[in-house]
Each structure stands twice: as C-alpha cells, then as structure tokens.
Amino acid sequence: MGDAHLFEGYGPVSGFDEMISRHDREPAVRGNYAHVHASFVDMGDDEVRQRADALASSYLDQGITFGVEGEERPFPLDIVPRLIEAEQWSEVDRGVRQRVRALEAFLADVYGSGDLFSDGVVPRSVVMSSQHFHRVVAGLDPPNGVRIHVAGVDLIRDGEGDFRVLEDNVRVPSGVSYVMTNRRALSAALPEVFADHRIRPVSQYSQALLAALRKAAPSGVSDPTVVVLTPGVYNSAYFEHTLLARTMGVELVEGRDLVCRSGRVMMRTTRGLEPVDVIYRRIDDEFLDPVQFRSDSALGVPGIVNAARAGHVTIANAVGNGVADDKLLYTYVPDLVRYYLSEEPILRNVDTWRMGDTDHREEVLDRLGELVLKPVDGSGGKGIVIGPAASAAELDDLRVKVLADPRAWIAQPVVSLSTVPTLVENGIRPRHVDLRPFAVHDGDDVWVLPGGLTRVALPEGELIVNSSRGGGSKDTWVMAGIADEASEPDHAPRATPVAGQSHQQAPDLDFRPGRGMEQKQQQQQARGDL
C-alpha cells in the first residue's frame, strides 16, 4: 500500500525541476521519473527511511568519507537517484568532449607558440597574470601531446532545463570515486528500482584511466610503471586516491616514496629503487616539486619537473594546467572552441562579467546585491559571495576587494540551479544540484564517463552544493539508448593487461623533528574540495 505523503510538500520551486513539469498545466511527474516516483510511493516513508539509514551505515562501515577542515566526515549519499535521459546525456557527452579538446589545444598553445595572443583571441595579460601559469614548463611537450588526462567539467541546468558550464577542472579534479561507490551502494539499496531501468554502467572508469595513463608513457617505454601520487592520509580526497590506485592495480605513493636520480624518477621498494614512468599526481603544482615551486614542500619530489622535461617521466595531469581552470579564462572558452576547433560551443557558459573590464566593473558594483561574485582562483565554493544573501557589511567589504584587485573576480547572475527529489527530514523535497561529468583523454579520443557526480545542496534554498558547505551527493543514472546498449562493452578505453609484480614500499626513514606536523598541514592545504 502506497504512501503519497512522502511527496506531499514537493514544490513549487523556482527554476527547473527535473521530476515535476509545471509548464502550462497542473504539476505532473515527468516520464523518466514516473517509475522512481511510483516505487517510492509504494515503499512508503518508513521503508524509505529504513533503507536510507542502512545506506548511510554502509557508507560509514566502508570508510567512505570526505575531509572538511581536517575532520573526516561521512559523505552524505541521498537515496533518491538522479535520472538523465539518453538524449540529454548525448548533448553533455558531446559538449564535454568538445570543451576538453579546446582546452587541450589552448594549453599546448600558451606553453608553446602562443598563436592565440598574436591572433587576438585572448589578451596575453589574462594568461600571464594567472597565478597558475608556470613558465617553468613552457616548451615542455608531453609524450603523446596530452596535458588533460582527466577533466571534471561542472554543469548546471538553467531555468529552461538547458545544461550550462559553470567551471572547468583540469588540474586535479576530484570526486569520481563517489560516482563509483554511489552506484554500488544505491544498486544494493534499491535493487528492484535499479533492475527496472536501463542504466549505463560506471564501473569501467578505472580501466579507462589506466589505459590513458599507459598510453601517456615516455617514448620507448612499452610496459610502463604507473603510480598514484597522493599528498597523504590527511588530504580531504585521500579515500579517492586509495580507491583509484586499488582499482587500477597500481601503487599508491607519497612524495617521500619517490626520488630523482640522473633525471629519472625512482620508487623506493624493498628490492631497492625501481623506475617510475607515469605519475598520476593528486598534488597541487605548488607542492609538487620543491626545486621549482614551494621550497618548503614536504609532499613533493625534488627534481620531478626536470625529469619530465628530460622526457623520462609523464606527470598527469600536466603541470601548469591550472591556467585553464582560471575563472577569468573561463569567459574566453567559447572563443577558444571557435578558434581551435572551428565549431560553435555545444554547452554554453553562464553569463559572466569580467571585473577587469571597466564597463563590466561599474555595472556590477551598481548591482552587487543582485549578483554572485567569485574569486577567479577559488575552489570548493570558497570565497563566493551571493549578493541577495549577503549583509550590507559583507557587500561593502566585497566592493573594497573588487576595487583593490579587479582581475581576481568575476560576476555572474544568480542562477537558480535545477532541483531534484531529495530525502530530507520532512519527506522528499526539491533540492538544488549540479553535475560534474568526468572525461578521460588518451591522446586519440576523449571518453566521458556516463554518469558524473551529482552534488546536492541539502539545506532548503541553498545554492552552493560543495561538500565543504554541507552538500551531499546522488547516484546519477544515465539512461541507455539503443546505440549505447549495443556498444557499451567496447565504449571505454581499456588498459592492456600486463604481467607485473606488486611493489612493496620501503618504510619512510625521514625522522626530522616537526616533519610530521608540517606534512599534515600541507596535506590539508592541498586541493581536494568537491
């Protein structure tokens, strides 16, 4: 017997709701959500909450957590899945692939010939003033031409339901581990609902990533040794680092496990030093190499950049990619698509004002209380000021900051993110979400994992979905079309099986006083925010 009370308080909401349609008629459940809606009504409130509690307990028991300000917390997974139709996903897939190819061409250009400057596509000052542009890697060409081995492109759906790009992440994008664990957990919590839908799998991600990393090996290396380089156990994304290393079947190492000898990177093992060919690093540029960047870094590997320049090791993602993450550069990406690919952008940006432009700045300062201001180098929702929710004092402080350093800020309208059904204290209610699809580039093609990380803002009316602001996640079900079902097993790149041995790391012998605390602080500072 069903329990319709579960959805009794659902809506109305501003913007686009992905379950309920309200255009020119009475609210109605959209076709793709009809079975999910009916299944939850049939289960009723008590059973849904029992399953949700079991789901939360399973995540805790498995140690699936996320670090916030040095504290490990469970990463909330909502029991109601998010559904995306095959046709809608096709647009996302094509748009993300296009964007990655354009950004790849941009990075090759800015660290190479710089044609886009002489052609007037992007002002030279925009790139050179970015704190993430690193001259030290200018002219360093990766072995197979790939700098963006992994990308995470943050998308939202606007008031009309159209996907738009909110930001690009091509440094060390985080969150794919939760895509994989969410699927496993939710298919166990809702087996009958899962079985009644044709859902594209996400389990192939690790093998696709490994295949791309192996193809990125230095010239002449036929059986490369790949490792995952982590800041360490105190980093907020450490769970993800361990999961990816385990599912790819490669070693998880810290900087202290690696050493450079004669321009090559070697790994300490119980059998002595062994060469490393490809490093999937989850460490920010500034901590990666104390010779080239922060000299006090306790996380990196001295000399690793020189080893890459010598062609003896591949660093994935490449050093210097952060200039493509800069939110000021984001405003030029549609032009980059046209310039490098001779195509029109498939996915549109959110309308954006550049604070370095005098006219833009004057308009924004007149409308501070209506707009969203973002620092161009921010991540994890840090530093964002939502004008309508800010106090007069906060707006005055923001005005001073913008005038002091206009280049450091962009402004956007308040976009009402789409909403999806989410279990909260008083039933299933609409909550705002975004979507981070993950793309893997192997040099021949860009493959997009069918089902990215949906982040959900759990407090009512909240627009910032980041985990550090109390957000949770959802399992994203991408519905399979006929073509997808026919090609799915061969769709993702796969790693060539290798006959290798597991490497046993030697114990760390660095007992310098205070070294442990220094490492812990830097691990927490390194990026990992979702």
Side-chain angles (χ1 to χ4, degrees):
M1 185 171 176
D3 183 1
H5 295 295
L6 200 58
F7 291 92
E8 196 172 64
Y10 198 96
V13 296
S14 60
F16 182 83
D17 186 80
E18 298 186 18
M19 183 180 76
I20 301 295
S21 172
R22 292 186 174 84
H23 288 296
D24 302 322
R25 62 180 184 271
E26 288 295 312
V29 177
R30 299 181 192 275
N32 61 324
Y33 267 93
H35 187 78
V36 167
H37 180 274
S39 296
F40 275 81
V41 169
D42 287 344
M43 278 187 276
D45 186 83
D46 288 343
E47 183 176 348
V48 168
R49 293 191 183 280
Q50 287 174 7
R51 295 196 191 196
D53 290 343
L55 180 64
S57 296
S58 72
Y59 252 39
L60 275 176
D61 292 344
Q62 295 174 63
I64 302 174
T65 61
F66 194 86
V68 179
E69 296 178 348
E71 177 187 348
E72 286 298 315
R73 301 178 186 175
F75 193 39
L77 169 61
D78 184 55
I79 196 168
V80 187
R82 181 189 192 179
L83 277 60
I84 299 178
E85 292 281 32
E87 183 177 351
Q88 297 167 345
W89 183 257
S90 176
E91 178 189 17
V92 170
D93 181 277
R94 291 182 294 112
V96 169
R97 291 172 64 192
Q98 179 192 63
R99 202 162 178 104
V100 171
R101 288 189 293 122
L103 290 174
E104 189 75 73
F106 162 77
L107 288 168
D109 199 357
V110 298
Y111 288 113
S113 59
D115 293 338
L116 80 166
F117 303 133
S118 56
D119 290 340
V121 182
V122 176
R124 187 182 297 271
S125 61
V126 169
V127 171
M128 300 302 165
S129 61
S130 172
Q131 68 171 321
H132 301 297
F133 174 74
H134 297 312
R135 289 179 176 83
V136 69
V137 292
L140 197 168
D141 296 322
N144 65 340
V146 177
R147 288 174 170 83
I148 306 172
H149 304 81
V150 180
V153 180
D154 289 352
L155 307 177
I156 61 168
R157 298 183 75 173
D158 62 18
E160 300 302 315
D162 296 329
F163 282 102
R164 294 218 188 185
V165 179
L166 195 60
E167 65 179 57
D168 302 290
N169 300 277
V170 296
R171 279 180 284 174
V172 282
S174 186
V176 73
S177 60
Y178 303 106
V179 177
M180 298 187 287
T181 55
N182 286 359
R183 176 60 51 82
R184 186 167 63 245
L186 206 67
S187 60
L190 301 172
E192 72 281 26
V193 184
F194 188 86
D196 286 339
H197 290 79
R198 295 179 300 138
I199 305 164
R200 295 184 63 182
V202 298
S203 57
Q204 68 272 51
Y205 178 83
S206 295
Q207 287 305 302
L209 175 58
L210 180 59
L213 295 174
R214 287 178 57 81
K215 288 184 71 172
S219 177
V221 178
S222 59
D223 185 8
T225 296
V226 178
V227 299
V228 176
L229 176 60
T230 176
V233 297
Y234 297 108
N235 184 258
S236 59
Y238 184 72
F239 166 78
E240 175 157 307
H241 307 163
T242 61
L243 179 71
L244 290 175
R246 186 174 72 250
T247 54
M248 286 194 291
V250 304
E251 291 292 342
L252 179 69
V253 300
E254 296 183 27
R256 58 192 177 182
D257 301 316
L258 304 178
V259 62
C260 289
R261 292 284 188 270
S262 302
R264 297 180 182 275
V265 178
M266 312 295 287
M267 175 170 56
R268 292 186 173 99
T269 76
T270 54
R271 294 179 298 278
L273 296 178
E274 298 189 3
V276 172
D277 305 300
V278 181
I279 299 174
Y280 178 44
R281 55 79 175 245
R282 297 300 297 262
I283 294 178
D284 299 341
D285 288 351
E286 61 181 313
F287 293 107
L288 185 61
D289 187 342
V291 173
Q292 303 292 348
F293 303 113
R294 282 185 52 163
S295 60
D296 66 336
S297 173
L299 309 180
V301 184
I304 191 174
V305 171
N306 286 336
R309 182 174 290 282
H312 294 151
V313 72
T314 299
I315 302 172
N317 283 355
V319 176
N321 278 14
V323 67
D325 281 2
D326 190 300
K327 292 182 177 62
L328 180 57
L329 191 281
Y330 157 92
T331 67
Y332 291 93
V333 174
D335 296 326
L336 300 181
V337 171
R338 299 182 186 101
Y339 177 66
Y340 292 117
L341 308 181
S342 299
E343 300 171 1
E344 282 299 309
I346 296 169
L347 297 172
R348 292 182 295 160
N349 279 10
V350 173
D351 296 338
T352 306
W353 289 267
R354 301 165 182 160
M355 294 299 90
D357 182 294
T358 302
D359 292 338
H360 285 200
R361 184 168 64 251
E362 289 178 355
E363 179 182 353
V364 169
L365 291 177
D366 285 341
R367 300 175 54 196
L368 269 186
E370 306 170 21
L371 303 174
V372 177
L373 274 288
K374 298 180 178 180
V376 297
D377 60 349
S379 64
K382 297 185 180 75
I384 293 177
V385 179
I386 300 177
S391 67
E394 288 171 329
L395 293 177
D396 288 342
D397 182 56
L398 176 62
R399 185 184 303 275
V400 172
K401 290 179 179 178
V402 170
L403 289 171
D405 189 3
R407 195 262 184 240
W409 297 87
I410 60 167
Q412 294 174 335
V414 177
V415 180
S416 187
L417 282 62
S418 63
T419 53
V420 298
T422 304
L423 183 66
V424 293
E425 186 175 347
N426 54 345
I428 292 179
R429 300 292 183 267
R431 291 295 185 265
H432 294 291
V433 292
D434 75 352
L435 176 67
R436 178 177 290 181
F438 291 89
V440 175
H441 188 195
D442 67 3
D444 295 320
D445 193 19
V446 179
W447 173 75
V448 182
L449 178 68
L453 177 65
T454 288
R455 299 178 296 183
V456 55
L458 297 175
E460 185 174 6
E462 177 63 69
L463 293 174
I464 299 180
V465 299
N466 302 84
S467 58
S468 54
R469 300 286 287 268
S473 69
K474 285 178 165 289
D475 189 14
T476 308
W477 291 4
V478 174
M479 299 296 104
I482 295 175
D484 299 320
E485 292 182 322
S487 63
E488 199 73 64
D490 300 317
H491 221 53
R494 299 186 65 83
T496 303
V498 294
Q501 299 182 25
S502 176
H503 299 289
Q504 190 74 26
Q505 296 170 20
D508 175 42
L509 301 178
D510 192 346
F511 296 120
R512 280 177 282 169
R515 185 69 168 177
M517 181 57 67
E518 182 182 14
Q519 288 177 332
K520 178 177 180 179
Q521 291 171 347
Q522 291 185 4
Q523 288 174 25
Q524 292 171 351
Q525 291 171 19
R527 286 177 89 239
D529 262 340
L530 291 177

